[in-house]
Amino acid sequence: TQSMANTNASPSLRESLALFMGRAAAVRASTKAKTDAKKAKTNAVYGKKIIMAVKQGGSDDPNANRLLGDLIKQAKANSVPVDNIQRAIKKATEGNVGDFKEKTFEAYGLGGASMIISVLTDNDNRATADVKSTVNKRNGKIAEQGSVAFMYDRKAIVEFGEGELDEEALLEAAIDAGCEDYEVEECDGEAQSRVLVDPKEGSLMSEALKSMGFDEENIKVTLSYISKAPVEVSDEEFEKNMEIIDALEELDDVDDVHHNMSN
């Protein structure tokens, strides 16, 4: 009887295992696709920013054009291939590429969630139409300029890889580098911290960390909007809000989407 029970159970066990393996493979494939898409997005964003920096700074020499020099460092820290960086610089000097413009949109999601959508585009009408359509189709709402932004602080986030942070040494290095104010933020579950500073002082904090011995290759500087009053939404609302954010981030013109959800 025991033998028969095992025999009968075996096909369903095999089916369950096959189904589980199929789901696991699908999850892995989905995760890889998202990672690849994120890398492609990062490469494209830095490409546009580098083109903009060359045009605004009037030089393709990172030593003469400080904005370009800082962007190249940031691009390398975010694993943007050197070939991509060189191609963007070449495009900017050839003069047959459009002018990119930075713009932000503000929006409301579900459950009291809000969003700031950063755009970098060479076609304002296209970007506006795409962002509004993407938000409205998913039951979000485009907000009036200023009605959401006041609930956020604009900050440069400086990440510097793993390693113990001596906060007294950081204070001294930050003062020497010319940083007026900063905030150290602990990262949950990770043996690392990040430093939040005024957007104008991101490169100064980067220099301060380098002077403390942190590897330049591991120092990343990104600009972000930090919510002053994060809100917790329901699981269902969170999923629907993330659908809006994911769809926005798939748009070529969207650089980043910042939100105030704490969960």
Side-chain angles (χ1 to χ4, degrees):
T1 306
Q2 187 175 2
S3 174
M4 275 185 69
N6 286 342
T7 304
N8 291 336
S10 185
S12 91
L13 183 60
R14 281 198 298 270
E15 285 165 13
S16 299
L17 188 57
L19 186 61
F20 173 77
M21 295 293 282
R23 282 180 185 158
V27 168
R28 280 197 300 273
S30 172
T31 303
K32 184 180 185 304
K34 284 181 181 176
T35 302
D36 290 346
K38 194 171 182 181
K39 280 182 186 173
K41 182 73 158 183
T42 300
N43 293 348
V45 166
Y46 275 104
K48 289 190 283 188
K49 286 185 175 181
I50 286 167
I51 289 170
M52 205 164 73
V54 172
K55 287 192 162 194
Q56 287 179 355
S59 171
D60 61 354
D61 179 0
N63 295 313
N65 185 340
R66 182 169 179 176
L67 176 59
L68 175 62
D70 285 347
L71 273 170
I72 289 173
K73 286 177 187 173
Q74 290 174 31
K76 286 180 177 176
N78 282 281
S79 305
V80 176
V82 174
D83 285 351
N84 290 44
I85 295 169
Q86 295 302 330
R87 271 200 304 273
I89 293 172
K90 189 180 177 192
K91 259 190 191 179
T93 55
E94 286 172 351
N96 59 351
V97 65
D99 290 325
F100 288 100
K101 187 174 85 172
E102 289 181 300
K103 185 174 183 176
T104 59
F105 294 88
E106 299 169 35
Y108 296 111
L110 286 76
S114 64
M115 301 166 198
I116 295 183
I117 304 148
S118 300
V119 164
L120 189 56
T121 183
D122 59 351
N123 187 323
D124 190 40
N125 290 336
R126 179 190 65 216
T128 300
D130 286 350
V131 167
K132 287 184 175 180
S133 169
T134 300
V135 171
N136 292 335
K137 274 182 186 175
R138 291 162 181 82
N139 297 318
K141 181 184 175 186
I142 293 292
E144 290 183 18
Q145 285 292 317
S147 60
V148 167
F150 79 94
M151 298 185 283
Y152 292 76
D153 286 322
R154 184 71 161 151
K155 294 288 184 183
I157 299 174
V158 187
E159 297 173 279
F160 47 89
E162 293 186 7
E164 285 293 320
L165 180 64
D166 183 333
E167 294 201 27
E168 285 187 21
L170 176 63
L171 176 60
E172 190 175 325
I175 291 170
D176 288 346
C179 288
E180 292 186 9
D181 192 23
Y182 66 88
E183 178 187 346
V184 177
E185 190 176 85
E186 300 293 332
C187 294
D188 292 338
E190 297 176 22
Q192 63 184 53
S193 308
R194 59 185 193 171
V195 185
L196 276 57
V197 295
D198 183 275
K200 294 176 184 174
E201 297 186 350
S203 58
L204 297 179
M205 180 54 72
S206 175
E207 292 300 320
L209 289 163
K210 278 193 284 183
S211 74
M212 293 172 65
F214 286 97
D215 188 351
E216 182 177 358
E217 295 293 316
N218 292 330
I219 298 172
K220 296 182 185 180
V221 183
T222 53
L223 293 176
S224 187
Y225 288 91
I226 308 294
S227 172
K228 296 177 186 176
V231 300
E232 186 169 348
V233 298
S234 71
D235 290 346
E236 185 181 351
E237 289 164 340
F238 179 80
E239 282 184 23
K240 288 184 176 177
N241 288 330
M242 288 309 300
E243 282 177 16
I244 298 173
I245 292 169
D246 288 344
L248 284 167
E249 288 183 339
E250 285 178 9
L251 298 176
D252 289 341
D253 291 321
V254 172
D255 177 354
D256 207 351
V257 182
H258 316 270
H259 63 79
N260 66 342
M261 293 184 290
S262 61
N263 52 331

